[in-house]
Structure formats: C-alpha cells, structure tokens
C-alpha cells in the first residue's frame, strides 16, 4: 500500500513516511492509492474486541508496519487510559444507536486517534531511521488540542505546540489545555478563529525557509491534525467495530446496510466512515450534520463550496469551521484521482473562497447527505432525549441527533442508524444543563458538573477531576502573525 498526494499524484510514499510528514510539500494531503477490502468477514468481526478490529482495519492501510509494530501501537493506545474495556460502547436510545467515542483520556472522540498517533509516529521514525526531534504543530477548535497534548506528553523525541482560537473554545476545553504540565508541551491562545489558526499552521508547514532553519537545528514538523493520515486510519476502525457490535447483538443481519450520522467540522470523522464503506462495510447513507456554520450542508445541496460567509461561534465549538480540510480527500476521489483538477479547485478555494463541483457530486449523492441543526433544535433534542430516556448527550452529538430527526422526517428513511457521539456531555456542561432546564442558565461551569453527574447518573470523568486539581501551566496569547515567532521562541531558535 502506497500513499500519494491529492495535489500531486506522481508522489508515492509508504504509510510510515506519510505519517511522519503529515502534509505533502506542495500542500496536498496524503491519500491511499487504493482501498483495501476487509480481510475478515462480518460474522468473524462480530466476535472481536476493539483492539482486534482495529488491527484488522489498520494493517492493510499501514502495510509497511510489521504485525508486531502495529500490535504494539494498538495495545498501548487502547488500554486503561479508556474508562471502559469496550473502548467505544454503543448505547441505544429511542431506536437510535449512539456510538460513544468519548471514553478516552480527554473525553472527546479525538482520543480514538490521538492516543495511537504518538505510537505510530515514533514507530514510523524508527522504521525510517529518522532522528530529528519531531515538532507537532496543531491548530485546534477545542478538542484536538487537549487530545494531542495528552497523547504526546513526555513522548521522547517529540515536542507539541497547540494553537487555539482565544474565546472560541469552551471554558472546560481551555482549562483542559492550560493544565497540561509536561515540559515538551505548550499552548497558545490566538486572536482569531479556528480557520485562521488552521490556515496559519498550514502556512508554517509550507514555509520553506522555516523548514530549512528547523532542519539545521535538528527539528522536523509533523501534524496531529486530521490532515495526518495517521489520524484518519485509526478512525476507520470504530465504524467497523460499531457495525460488528450491531451484528453481535442481533440488531442487524450481517450484510444489512446501516446509516451513520456524524457531527462534522473538519470532515475527518465522516471521511473515515467513507473509507470504511470503501473497504466493503455495508453503509447506506453517511449523514453529514453541521451546526450554524453549515457550509457542508450547502455544499451537499448545491455542489458549490462557499466559505464566504460569517463565522458563527456556537455551542458546538469543535464544529465551528468553514474550511473543512479533509473534504479535499473526498473531492480528490470525486475528481477521479486527478490531482491537477483537484489542485485547481483548491486554488480557487484559496483565491475566491469557493469552488463548484455540482456535476461530479451527483456520483456521491447516494452516499452523502447534508443536514444541519441550529442550537434551538439541538438544545430541544438534548432536553427531549433526557426527559424521555434519561440519556444525556453533548452539544455536538445533539447537532447530529437533531439533524437525523430532520432527515428521517423528510425522507422517511428508517434504516437503522448510528449517531456518532463525539464528546462527553461533561465537556460542555453549562450548555447541556441549560438545554435540560433553564434554571441552570448562567450558573458556574464547574459547579454545574456535580449537578450533571447527579441528574445523568454518571460519575464525573477523570478528565474533569483533573482540571479541578491541576494548576494552570502558562497562559500565552498571540496574534496570528506572531505564531511563527512564538514557535521559534519555544524551540529556542533565535540564537
Ligand atoms: C472534532 C470534533 C467534531 C468534528 O469532527 P471532524 O472530524 O473535524 O469533522 C465533532 N464533535 C466533536 C466533539 C469534536 O471534537
């Protein structure tokens, strides 16, 4: 299995090289040259543990890792850092299945990939005889930052630097990041929104002069954002695992098609679902749920991607994104893997903020559907689901759950559906609690967590206990244009 770049398909590198590099030199994303097929049948998968399924899914994408290497990565990632041995439990409520991906260290789905990425990356470095210190640069809309910090904390040979939009993340998300203690970690609040952060980080990656200077000082960049294929591949596993679980519990017959509804921002999670479908997993629809920043909803409806609109700060901040990076990987397939066509669309996105693929998009209409839900519908969903079943979902999962209701209402498609549940409600406690009952409005975020624990009948996760006990390491704030200088300062590159 080899990887090529969406913007230059004469490139051909191994999986471990793609993971080390993160982003291709000309700015493209690495993609597998073809999709492997699931090597084990669905009945057999049904009896496997999460780790076993992860191995089956990942081994053919990461074919230059030995069995021993990959199993070492998987065993160390999906261990007692997760608060349940199931790793990704499936919960039924009102006929819908919620795939809970928030049982890892930082209680968001980013842990599913970021608890394994450091192992994949350090293994890849060894395999390629790569001895530079790896500098992980990360732009975060809130959850990736903490998950990456936790994943790379104290990992030898790595440093991690996280940029988040100051004022654009939840209080708990911010505290989680600021209380990361390890010496190889640092965090900056940036005066701008997530798109500004992500664009600036991509520019640093492509800054040839900076790269050269870093190289001379013994540093090399990599990425923990979902532009790194090492994040995408582990995410394919939980789609297969969810399906296998439904088979095991006799909820579906092996081969029966199901829908997934995914709260979407950077398009990484749902793209992993599409990769699973391409491996042969019986998926009918992938419902792409957006919040008020509904650029993807409009895209799937019209074929026009247009980011020229106001950026809205919402109650689901991890989905507050107007430039969905991973969509590039889908568009590449849509263009029949023609990297020059793809490159010209991305040029148009950069220069005009838009591009149009209406004609080609028809080919994907039977798989992708765009939906969206604003806070009034999402908060009602949190409220109603709690009232009816006692189950509490977070603000991002609520966007998907409410969007699914709209979809079913409009289409009468009653295919069994898994809602991908991306964060613990504790991470967005105040918004969740005020949706459940107005009397909680305006109350202190940290105090509300005890109350949430009581009404949901769920113990406070360790990630929450930690922010209550750990000191803030440092509070750094910078302008977008200062990010490069901050990086150099942190790496002691000025002397
Ligand atoms: C990152 C994130 C999303 C969006 O996922 P993408 O892969 O960026 O589409 C949704 N919900 C939560 C809680 C997240 O942290």
């Amino acid at each position: 299995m080899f990887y090529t770049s969406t913007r230059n398909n004469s490139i051909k590198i191994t999986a471990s090289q793609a993971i080390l590099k993160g982003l291709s030199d000309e700015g493209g994303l690495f993609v597998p040259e073809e999709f492997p097929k699931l090597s084990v049948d669905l009945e057999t998968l049904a009896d496997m543990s999460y780790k076993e399924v992860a191995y089956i899914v990942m081994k053919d994408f990461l074919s230059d890792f030995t069995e021993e290497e990959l199993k070492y990565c998987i065993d160390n990632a999906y261990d007692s850092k997760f608060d349940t041995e199931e790793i990704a439990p499936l919960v039924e409520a009102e006929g819908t299945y919620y795939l809970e991906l928030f049982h890892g260290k930082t209680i968001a789905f980013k842990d599913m990939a970021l608890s394994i990425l450091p192992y994949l990356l350090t293994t890849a470095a060894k395999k390629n005889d790569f001895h530079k210190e790896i500098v992980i640069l990360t732009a975060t809309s809130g959850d990736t930052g903490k998950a990456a910090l936790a994943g790379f904390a104290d990992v030898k040979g790595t440093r991690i630097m996280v940029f988040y939009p100051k004022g654009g993340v939840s209080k708990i998300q911010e505290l989680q990041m600021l209380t990361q203690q390890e010496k190889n970690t640092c965090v900056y609040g940036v005066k701008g929104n997530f798109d500004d952060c992500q664009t600036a980080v991509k520019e640093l990656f492509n800054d040839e002069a900076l790269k050269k200077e870093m190289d001379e000082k013994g540093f090399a960049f990599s990425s923990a954002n979902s532009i790194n294929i090492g994040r995408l591949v582990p995410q394919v596993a939980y789609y297969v695992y969810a399906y296998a679980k439904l088979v095991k519990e006799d909820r579906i017959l092996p081969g029966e098609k199901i829908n997934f509804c995914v709260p979407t921002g950077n398009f990484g999670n749902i793209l992993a679902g599409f990769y699973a479908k391409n491996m042969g997993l019986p998926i009918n629809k992938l419902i792409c749920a957006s919040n008020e920043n509904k650029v993807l909803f409009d895209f799937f409806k019209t074929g026009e991607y247009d980011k020229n609109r106001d950026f809205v700060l919402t109650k689901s901040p991890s989905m507050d994104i107007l430039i969905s990076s991973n969509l590039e990987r889908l568009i590449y397939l849509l263009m029949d893997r023609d990297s020059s066509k793809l490159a010209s669309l991305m040029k148009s996105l950069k220069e005009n903020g838009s591009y149009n693929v209406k004609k080609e998009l028809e080919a994907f209409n039977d798989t992708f559907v765009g939906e969206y839900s604003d806070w009034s519908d999402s908060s009602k969903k949190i409220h109603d689901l709690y009232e009816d079943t006692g189950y509490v979902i977070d603000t991002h999962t609520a966007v998907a759950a409410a969007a699914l209701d709209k979809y079913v209402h409009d289409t009468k498609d009653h295919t069994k559906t898994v809602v991908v549940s991306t964060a613990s409600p504790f991470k967005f406690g105040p918004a969740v609690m005020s949706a459940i009952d107005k009397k909680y409005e305006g109350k202190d975020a940290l105090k509300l967590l005890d109350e949430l624990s009581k009404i949901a009948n769920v113990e406070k996760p360790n990630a929450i206990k930690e922010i209550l006990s750990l000191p803030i390491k440092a509070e750094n704030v910078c302008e977008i244009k200062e990010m490069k200088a901050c990086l150099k300062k942190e790496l002691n590159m000025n002397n």
Side-chain angles (χ1 to χ4, degrees):
M1 165 71 73
F2 288 95
Y3 287 77
T4 187
S5 163
T6 50
R7 300 190 197 179
N8 176 2
N9 59 14
S10 68
I11 288 173
K12 193 178 172 105
I13 61 175
T14 62
S16 64
Q17 289 167 338
I19 290 171
L20 272 175
K21 275 190 81 81
L23 193 67
S24 186
D25 288 331
E26 78 300 329
L29 307 188
F30 293 116
V31 282
E33 282 195 332
E34 64 201 337
F35 290 107
K37 293 290 165 208
L38 279 171
S39 55
V40 169
D41 63 44
L42 298 168
E43 286 94 336
T44 310
L45 283 166
D47 285 321
M48 289 186 172
S49 68
Y50 189 86
K51 287 186 197 180
E52 288 166 334
V53 171
Y55 177 71
I56 295 297
V57 170
M58 291 172 67
K59 72 179 172 56
D60 295 325
F61 279 108
L62 308 182
S63 60
D64 70 323
F65 285 67
T66 65
E67 176 172 351
E68 193 191 353
E69 285 167 343
L70 186 54
K71 285 191 169 162
Y72 159 82
C73 295
I74 290 172
D75 284 341
N76 281 287
Y78 304 114
D79 61 5
S80 60
K81 289 191 284 300
F82 285 75
D83 65 13
T84 160
E85 258 177 58
E86 279 185 284
I87 306 296
L90 199 60
V91 174
E92 195 259 356
E94 297 186 316
T96 296
Y97 301 96
Y98 290 84
L99 178 64
E100 295 188 350
L101 300 181
F102 53 77
H103 289 273
K105 211 167 157 55
T106 75
I107 58 177
F109 95 95
K110 305 297 195 290
D111 291 324
M112 300 305 293
L114 283 166
S115 47
I116 193 166
L117 184 65
Y119 292 100
L120 295 176
L121 196 68
T122 47
T123 305
K126 251 189 237 140
K127 294 179 77 64
N128 289 280
D129 221 3
F130 188 86
H131 297 291
K132 299 222 178 308
E133 185 156 11
I134 300 171
V135 179
I136 307 288
L137 273 195
T138 303
T140 182
S141 57
D143 290 331
T144 291
K146 177 62 185 186
L149 288 164
F152 283 96
D154 274 346
V155 173
K156 256 181 74 185
T158 71
R159 302 243 198 142
I160 168 150
M161 185 160 187
V162 169
F163 295 100
Y164 70 95
K166 184 79 191 166
V169 301
S170 86
K171 178 171 179 186
I172 292 165
Q173 286 177 315
E174 184 171 39
L175 272 175
Q176 278 188 294
M177 289 188 275
L178 298 182
T179 52
Q180 190 76 42
Q181 306 294 323
E182 287 75 4
K183 257 189 26 216
N184 71 330
T185 68
C186 76
V187 181
Y188 278 80
V190 176
K191 293 183 195 156
N193 63 36
F194 172 71
D195 286 328
D196 300 329
C197 291
Q198 174 158 263
T199 302
V201 162
K202 278 192 185 169
E203 274 165 15
L204 291 176
F205 275 126
N206 291 326
D207 183 331
E208 289 305 324
L210 176 64
K211 267 198 279 196
K212 185 159 172 281
E213 218 183 314
M214 302 245 315
D215 190 64
E216 283 160 7
K217 306 246 161 156
F219 296 116
F221 281 136
S222 190
S223 167
N225 280 104
S226 51
I227 52 177
N228 193 320
I229 196 76
R231 254 190 73 184
L232 206 53
V233 168
Q235 291 179 183
V236 180
Y238 52 73
Y239 285 91
V240 177
Y241 180 72
Y243 189 97
K245 200 99 178 262
L246 288 173
V247 171
K248 183 173 177 70
E249 294 174 357
D250 287 327
R251 312 266 193 180
I252 56 171
L253 294 169
E256 183 177 338
K257 285 193 172 180
I258 63 170
N259 294 342
F260 283 92
C261 182
V262 189
T264 297
N266 228 352
F267 210 75
N269 196 352
I270 194 166
L271 185 73
F274 188 60
Y275 278 22
K277 181 174 168 134
N278 279 283
M279 291 186 87
L281 194 71
I283 293 177
N284 178 38
K285 297 281 191 226
L286 289 165
I287 304 161
C288 173
S290 299
N291 65 17
E292 288 86 340
N293 294 294
K294 59 185 181 54
V295 61
L296 288 165
F297 168 77
D298 295 336
F299 170 69
F300 283 114
K301 210 165 87 177
T302 65
E304 158 121 312
Y305 193 93
D306 185 2
K307 75 159 185 88
N308 299 307
R309 58 183 77 204
D310 289 337
F311 186 101
V312 187
L313 289 176
T314 73
K315 302 283 187 197
S316 40
S318 304
M319 297 161 68
D320 290 347
I321 293 173
L322 293 178
I323 307 171
S324 291
S325 288
N326 276 291
L327 190 65
E328 175 166 342
R329 289 189 164 110
L330 185 75
I331 306 296
Y332 173 73
L333 294 173
L334 199 59
M335 296 295 118
D336 254 341
R337 303 177 192 258
D338 182 334
S339 56
S340 55
K341 264 197 204 163
L342 186 278
S344 70
L345 293 174
M346 293 303 127
K347 190 158 168 265
S348 166
L349 179 63
K350 189 164 181 193
E351 286 167 7
N352 315 315
S354 68
Y355 60 81
N356 196 310
V357 291
K358 184 172 168 37
K359 210 168 70 251
E360 292 90 344
L361 192 59
E362 277 166 24
F364 284 173
N365 275 350
D366 54 352
T367 300
F368 284 97
V369 199
E371 262 302 348
Y372 82 100
S373 162
D374 59 19
W375 178 235
S376 93
D377 287 341
S378 306
S379 62
K380 186 169 182 312
K381 183 70 196 182
I382 294 174
H383 174 269
D384 293 355
L385 191 62
Y386 174 68
E387 286 294 316
D388 296 343
T389 67
Y391 187 51
V392 181
I393 54 176
D394 98 289
T395 54
H396 302 73
T397 309
V399 169
L404 175 63
D405 286 349
K406 273 197 200 171
Y407 168 77
V408 173
H409 178 266
D410 292 347
T411 60
K412 309 285 181 282
D413 175 5
H414 291 285
T415 305
K416 287 179 185 129
T417 300
V418 173
V419 166
V420 178
S421 181
T422 49
S424 159
F426 283 91
K427 206 157 185 175
F428 303 93
V432 167
M433 292 300 277
S434 65
I436 287 174
D437 193 327
K438 293 242 178 308
K439 76 178 181 202
Y440 296 119
E441 252 166 46
K443 294 247 166 76
D444 180 70
L446 301 178
K447 287 205 189 96
L448 279 176
L449 299 176
D450 287 320
E451 190 69 16
L452 173 56
S453 169
K454 217 172 355 173
I455 68 150
N457 201 15
V458 179
E459 207 199 321
K460 248 189 299 186
N462 277 333
I464 293 294
K465 292 180 191 155
E466 261 179 19
I467 58 169
L468 299 174
S469 63
L470 290 175
I472 287 177
K473 186 182 167 205
E475 243 176 307
N476 303 310
V477 179
C478 73
E479 306 278 349
I480 295 283
K481 61 178 190 310
E482 292 170 335
M483 285 167 63
K484 183 168 168 177
C486 295
L487 169 78
K488 286 184 157 187
K489 189 180 109 203
E490 292 294 336
L491 296 179
N492 272 323
M493 278 173 54
N494 292 325
N495 38 38

